[in-house]
Amino acid sequence: MARYIFVTGGVVSSLGKGLSSASLAYLLQSRGYKVRIRKLDPYLNVDPGTMSPFQHGEVFVTDDGAETDLDLGHYERFSGISAKKSDNITTGKIYSDVIKRERQGKYLGKTVQVIPHITNRIKEFIKHDVAKEDFVICEIGGTVGDIESLPFLEAIRQFSNETGRKNTLFIHLTLVPYMKASDEIKTKPTQHSVKELRSIGIQPDIIICRSERSIPLDQRKKISLFCNVSIEDVIETVDVKTIYEAPISFNKEKLDERVLKFFKIKTRKKVNLNPWKKITNLVLNNKNKVNIAVIGKYVELKDAYKSLDEALTHGGIANNLKVNLVRIESDYLNPKDIKNKLIGVSGILIPGGFGKRGTEGKIAAITYARNHNVPFLGICFGMQMAVIEFARNRLNIKKATSSEFGPSKASVVGLMSEWIKDGKKFKGTDKDLGGTMRLGSYEAKLKKGSLISKIYNSIKINERHRHRYEVNINFKDKFEKKGMIFSGLSPDLKLPEIIELQNHPWFIGVQFHPEFKSRPLAPHPLFSAFIKAAKTKSKKNAKS
Ligand code: GLN
């Protein structure tokens, strides 16, 4: 039977619950257990698909086509397990399910209430689709004390009652601040947060204390005493220099050992931390670096391109290099200023995006990459921009655009007409925006002998998608005559998936998001190849 580990957060948000859960998953897996990680989000959106990245950071896409919280990305990258649709739930989804059932008359005339109907639905979600897992780690979004989180906390309290206290472990992650003025570490916020949790009926078993500096024994004792946990279960997590250090640091603090002790499980295997030690060392101490420009609309918010930033770092790991990201806000990128802005840059990346704002800056940067042999990777929107740039400057379609920006006779990128998944036909729409894009893993066929097929070392790939618009396949011949090759297509040959330039050292656009599948311990080939090309370019620049 699976054991359940619930991770809640207290005092403030952004303490790293996702990373803690992901690290714990790795440690348990490494000891030979099968683990699943889930996220319960307390907001009212059905999923984060329609939220602005400024609100919520990146939207992470799973193989089975769910638009989910970015923490699922952490989970995948650390545990290596591909997340599923069933691993992320929101208040919005829970309520819409319950209301749908109510309309179908499934509650047999009863008054539908938060307790038990909403809490029952939450419990169903926690348990469903769990088979051979030894552990299910459930992270509860938000902070204890928020009105929104209450039904989730109530549900996990009930869950532990029903499943058995010995099968349910509560971990509470809090902030233990350091006060400079008095040179003291303060435990009071943690005490209050735990008090709040206990008032709901949840006694944490392990408290993870996030702190700037190591917590002295006296303060640990205080937390243990006031929060009613044993001193060994007060676990500190001092800020790490790189996230890859997190599994090492949690293991040093014996988090995995305490978890197994709680469940009275004898340790099967020793944890293997060598891969993390290796990449931590590499990321922190590598002297060689390349500068990569990431030109997008949301660069000011670090989390907006989380998986992408990670994938680029992984590309660096594969090439023994540190990747220095030069984030350029496309909206302020004046085409006349491109050269200055890109001094010292050895690779240009245009990530996924939506809407017209900032596109002219992106297009100008693509012209620069194309004309100056700078390695270029365009992802989703970035590929669409590369096609528009080529149409304007090489095919002489001066007004080339995307129908995403309004009706035009020169749309080389248009609303997706139709696509097929699992034998069913889907149609593009720009009316109903939630969950209606072409989402999740789709196959692409690669052209033999193309650069992309060499990179993947295959002519058939599967990658994750999230788009509503597509490059118009009818332009294929015109583009190819001028040297932009459509080197990857959907199996029915209707949707362009990849473009590349013939007379350029490394210029690739992909309609999918390779960044979602890159992992620190298994860097994605496309990012490894991109960084390798940037390394070559930077050597050339140094010589000239
Ligand atoms: N806005 C574009 C589309 O919907 C690109 C989306 C993306 O980059 N993820 O097709």
Side-chain angles (χ1 to χ4, degrees), residues 222-253:
K222 215 165 165 184
I223 295 172
S224 155
L225 180 68
F226 284 92
C227 302
N228 194 29
V229 295
S230 81
I231 182 100
E232 291 93 343
D233 290 321
V234 179
I235 287 181
E236 70 172 22
T237 167
V238 179
D239 301 350
V240 281
K241 288 199 202 76
T242 151
I243 55 170
Y244 307 128
E245 228 180 317
I248 305 171
S249 130
F250 279 119
N251 176 260
K252 204 167 127 214
E253 285 301 315

Side-chain angles (χ1 to χ4, degrees), residues 490-526:
S490 57
D492 63 2
L493 311 181
K494 284 186 183 157
L495 304 179
E497 289 275 7
I498 301 154
I499 55 100
E500 60 187 70
L501 281 186
Q502 254 173 346
N503 298 316
H504 191 286
W506 210 100
F507 188 107
I508 290 180
V510 292
Q511 188 54 75
F512 46 81
H513 291 267
E515 69 272 27
F516 293 140
K517 282 174 62 168
S518 186
R519 287 159 188 181
L521 305 182
H524 192 290
L526 200 44

Side-chain angles (χ1 to χ4, degrees), residues 48 82 163 187 326:
S82 292
T163 316
T187 64
V326 182

Side-chain angles (χ1 to χ4, degrees), residues 273-312:
L273 289 170
N274 290 340
W276 299 106
K277 285 186 184 153
K278 206 171 134 200
I279 59 174
T280 299
N281 187 24
L282 212 140
V283 169
L284 293 181
N285 301 322
N286 216 318
K287 298 267 174 321
N288 302 322
K289 63 166 193 183
V290 279
N291 296 325
I292 302 291
V294 175
I295 307 175
K297 216 163 52 171
Y298 315 109
V299 287
E300 275 159 31
L301 183 87
K302 257 183 136 186
D303 275 355
Y305 302 111
K306 189 76 212 153
S307 297
L308 181 71
D309 296 355
E310 282 294 306
L312 285 165

Side-chain angles (χ1 to χ4, degrees), residues 352-354 379-381 384 404 437 466-469 513:
F354 294 83
I379 294 182
C380 203
F381 198 63
Q384 297 172 358
E404 181 172 353
M437 283 189 259
R466 182 175 184 243
H467 65 124
R468 201 180 298 287
Y469 297 87
H513 291 267

